[in-house]
Amino acid sequence: MPPRSAAARSTDRFERKRETILDAATRILNRKGIRGLTLGDTAAAVDLSTTSVTYYFRRKDDLAAACITRGIETLTDLAEQAARAPTPPERLHAFITQYLDILKRTETGQAPPLPIISELRALTSPRREEVASAYGRLFRKARQIFDHPDLMWMSRGRRTARTRMLLEHVFWGGAWLSKYDTEDYPRIRDRMVDILLHGLAIEGAAWSPTPIATEALAAREGPELARETFLLAATRLINKRGYRGASVDKISAELNVTKGSFYHHNDAKDDLVVACFERSFEVVTRAQRLAMELPGDQWLKVSSCAAALGEFQLSDHGPLLRTNALTALPEQMRKTMVEHANRVSDRFASMISDGIAEGSIRPVDPFIASQMLNATLNSCADLGYLVPDVRPKAAAAVFVRPLLMGVFER
């Protein structure tokens, strides 16, 4: 074999150094979000000067976009491989298996870390559009999992909704899988796939959630209603543009109020994000409490609660703040919000556990099931964008029912 040229060796060195920079930047991005990512911190993490990093990435957004795009391309490769399996259940199994294998190899240093994909919302133009285009390719490839003659009954909109839900389980997995040893991943995969294929419902169970009015989940009146209006506008803007894109000026303009009014409600933007999260947690907690008061078994209570929250996401009172906003908060604030989110999730786990005990819910892992339910409800905020003609009342059937009854169930 002839010796490699000096130019080829130089290219190899460039690529290795670039990958090392991306690895370090991805870890910072996952910990601090785009807001906390800096070229200086990235340089320090790999023992380089900031000037050396700018040789590879001129601006922070260039670096963040490269991190996210690399992760998207990894997931696109996984989806492409999974789509080659003969049946949808086998494709689903392959996709989750390969995803967990990537996480395991990341833990052992054999694969680059996966970024928090949702941070793409915080990018500025033109990088945001470039990364969004890469995400579109991932989405279309993942949707092929549902392309099969046996699923001809499934409309394009329903395939799209299920694809978004499936990808959210992958995106959200990094938030809770860290509590497990990698040797447990095969068991986790089996339980995740089992829930996706068969849902939580026992054989013969009906999908007939008891309606819970969205008005009952929102703030009531007076000062509480005024604050709700403010937080709702901020939530919508943060969900759409990310922390960086939701400036004080834009939030004030959205409500046609002055900056002074903004600071009357919140001392700083971080306080606003916390308040939006607390509002979201309050909505979920109200839904859980109202569901627990319903007559009937735990399956009815869980499905009614989930259906109500799915409808809320698309209603005039919604959406809830997406969990990706957590990365924008300072570490101590983020820790407090994560603890609050875990309490909400644990209540879902308790409801599911009670249903298993009474026989109205299948024997599943309550913790994994509650995290998957959280992920589904979190991603439901995107349903209006993905399926523009969907009505709030239909959100539960289109988006929530597939998780609770099985993604391939008619």
Side-chain angles (χ1 to χ4, degrees), residues 17-30:
K17 183 61 70 176
R18 184 179 186 276
E19 290 298 304
T20 299
I21 292 171
L22 288 177
D23 289 351
T26 299
R27 293 186 180 95
I28 297 172
L29 180 71
N30 288 349

Side-chain angles (χ1 to χ4, degrees), residues 324-380:
N324 64 283
L326 283 168
T327 58
L329 291 174
E331 190 169 353
Q332 189 54 48
M333 279 185 170
R334 182 167 68 247
K335 181 180 177 182
T336 301
M337 290 300 98
V338 168
E339 289 173 351
H340 197 160
N342 285 337
R343 289 198 296 273
V344 171
S345 179
D346 287 347
R347 188 174 292 112
F348 275 130
S350 295
M351 295 169 71
I352 293 168
S353 182
D354 289 346
I356 295 169
E358 74 179 11
S360 65
I361 290 178
R362 292 177 55 242
V364 297
D365 186 309
F367 176 81
I368 293 176
S370 66
Q371 292 294 341
M372 293 177 71
L373 179 55
N374 272 344
T376 298
L377 295 173
N378 184 56
S379 60
C380 196

Side-chain angles (χ1 to χ4, degrees), residues 215-339:
E215 292 78 7
L217 305 182
R220 303 299 191 271
E221 54 191 2
E224 187 182 357
L225 181 58
R227 181 170 173 77
E228 167 77 6
T229 302
F230 189 87
L231 294 179
L232 177 55
T235 295
R236 288 173 174 168
L237 198 55
I238 294 170
N239 280 358
K240 183 178 181 181
R241 292 295 186 187
Y243 183 94
R244 289 172 75 191
S247 67
V248 174
D249 287 331
K250 289 178 181 176
I251 295 169
S252 300
E254 187 86 7
L255 287 170
N256 195 27
V257 298
T258 64
K259 281 188 181 182
S261 298
F262 171 90
Y263 290 112
H264 173 72
H265 285 280
N266 299 277
D267 294 332
K269 202 159 110 177
D270 286 341
D271 297 324
L272 175 64
V273 175
V274 168
C276 289
F277 267 122
E278 289 176 341
R279 166 191 173 266
S280 296
F281 296 148
E282 288 167 5
V283 169
V284 178
T285 299
R286 286 192 198 109
Q288 291 171 329
R289 288 172 178 164
L290 289 171
M292 290 302 295
E293 294 171 0
L294 295 173
D297 57 26
Q298 288 297 123
W299 160 247
L300 179 71
K301 298 178 193 296
V302 170
S303 59
S304 299
C305 180
L309 289 170
E311 180 181 343
F312 183 90
Q313 289 277 49
L314 295 187
S315 74
D316 292 338
H317 301 287
L320 304 174
L321 186 63
R322 290 184 55 83
T323 52
N324 64 283
L326 283 168
T327 58
L329 291 174
E331 190 169 353
Q332 189 54 48
M333 279 185 170
R334 182 167 68 247
K335 181 180 177 182
T336 301
M337 290 300 98
V338 168
E339 289 173 351

